[in-house]
Amino acid sequence: MIPLTAHLPDGPLSVAAVRAVDDRLRALVEPAVAPRVAGADGVALRVHGTGPACVLWIHGGGMFLGAAEYDDAFCCDLAAALGATVVAVDYRLAPEHPHPAPLHDCRTALAWCAARHERVVVAGGSAGGGLAAALCLLTRDEGGPAIAAAHLYYPMLDDRHETPSAAENADAPVWNRRLADVAWEAYLGGRTADAYAAPARAENLRGLPPTYLDTGGLDLFRDEDAGYARRLAEAGVPTVFELVPGGVHAFEVYDPAAEASIATRERRLAALRRSLREDFRTW
């Protein structure tokens, strides 16, 4: 894949301008084989593999870019490696559908998965990781469906950009402050973020599912991610946190052959296998 930041125009960014660049770059990528397609109350789902346990995968893209189909190859490989079902939710995008519409689509997808599988893990990268974290908060507060564990990869959790890494890595490759500002403006639609929009704002993290979280040392989100992991652990949530030195946002996607990328994929896969078969309260 080609980093989006290297092709952005100078000056103020808009959703339309970023989408135009993203569309051009996506056109250079060969499409994957299409999976089974299902629907849940109007929400499209892409279903990979079979198995009694399920991973609900939530794609990234700052809440305003991307689609579930872009992760077909990843989800297909993941389902095969885990011997499980992987369901990718094609949630509605901001700004046409601002918060809480994308989160509610993920909730609908979770209910569909829970009705068909004995154990469901939620996972996502970047904005998808933020939605996964928000989904855990929402389902805790609403009383279900049960989530066995959450796996959050460099999640987008905080709209405030007040951490040291937000300043240090403001011009980082792959995802920078300019893109983050466009993303949050689109997602919030002019409203103040609550904890279901920006999980880092949540005051109470008790009772959330066991959580695996990783991020890169050069990621814009590094400190908000590390802080969230620390607060989860302090709230009694079984938590595994991994910081990858030198890793930029989505490092394992853009440099897949790097030693750190290979190790990260293996670590994530091992953690997912555990989440799908046993209670992580023993973490």
Side-chain angles (χ1 to χ4, degrees), residues 94-95 98-99 159 182-194 197-198 201:
H99 174 71
D159 61 303
V182 173
W184 281 111
E185 181 179 356
Y187 189 51
L188 296 176
R191 291 171 291 178
T192 300
D194 60 15
R201 289 180 174 269

Side-chain angles (χ1 to χ4, degrees), residues 6-276:
H7 298 268
L8 294 175
D10 294 332
L13 294 178
S14 66
V15 167
V18 177
R19 282 178 175 171
V21 174
D22 190 57
D23 288 345
R24 289 201 306 272
L25 297 178
R26 294 285 181 185
L28 302 176
V29 179
E30 288 292 327
V33 177
R36 304 189 307 278
V37 177
D41 294 330
V43 179
L45 308 173
R46 300 176 77 81
V47 184
H48 308 257
T50 58
C54 175
V55 176
L56 173 59
W57 175 254
I58 307 174
H59 72 79
M63 319 291 191
F64 74 100
L65 296 170
E69 67 180 285
Y70 297 159
D71 290 344
D72 277 350
F74 166 76
C75 290
C76 181
D77 290 347
L78 185 62
L82 294 172
T85 304
V86 176
V87 177
V89 53
D90 206 18
Y91 59 87
R92 290 169 290 174
L93 298 179
E96 294 83 0
H97 305 283
H99 174 71
L103 177 59
H104 287 177
D105 288 350
C106 294
R107 178 178 62 185
T108 298
L110 174 63
W112 187 93
C113 294
R116 291 163 176 80
H117 299 87
E118 59 190 35
R119 193 171 181 86
V120 180
V121 171
V122 299
S126 193
L131 283 168
L135 184 60
C136 291
L137 289 165
L138 183 64
T139 56
R140 178 201 62 182
D141 296 345
E142 293 184 341
I147 295 173
H151 288 244
L152 316 178
Y153 309 145
Y154 34 79
M156 174 180 162
L157 300 171
D158 199 338
D159 61 303
R160 293 165 292 189
H161 305 304
E162 294 174 348
T163 64
S165 66
E168 294 168 13
N169 302 320
D171 295 321
V174 181
W175 195 260
N176 58 24
R177 178 63 185 270
R178 296 176 70 206
L179 286 169
D181 287 343
V182 173
W184 281 111
E185 181 179 356
Y187 189 51
L188 296 176
R191 291 171 291 178
T192 300
D194 60 15
Y196 298 138
R201 289 180 174 269
E203 296 182 3
N204 176 17
L205 300 183
R206 292 187 298 275
L208 291 175
T211 301
Y212 170 95
L213 193 158
D214 67 29
T215 193
L218 299 180
D219 197 313
L220 185 79
F221 302 152
R222 180 195 69 208
D223 294 341
E224 65 191 64
D225 292 346
Y228 194 73
R230 174 184 52 77
R231 292 180 57 224
L232 283 169
E234 290 173 350
V237 177
T239 304
V240 171
F241 174 67
E242 297 286 348
L243 179 66
V244 181
V248 298
H249 195 69
F251 59 91
E252 86 289 0
V253 176
Y254 292 96
D255 192 5
E259 182 177 339
S261 298
I262 295 170
T264 295
R265 289 195 298 271
E266 291 176 348
R267 184 169 55 244
R268 290 175 180 174
L269 195 60
L272 281 168
R273 287 195 180 104
R274 285 192 62 190
S275 287
L276 289 170

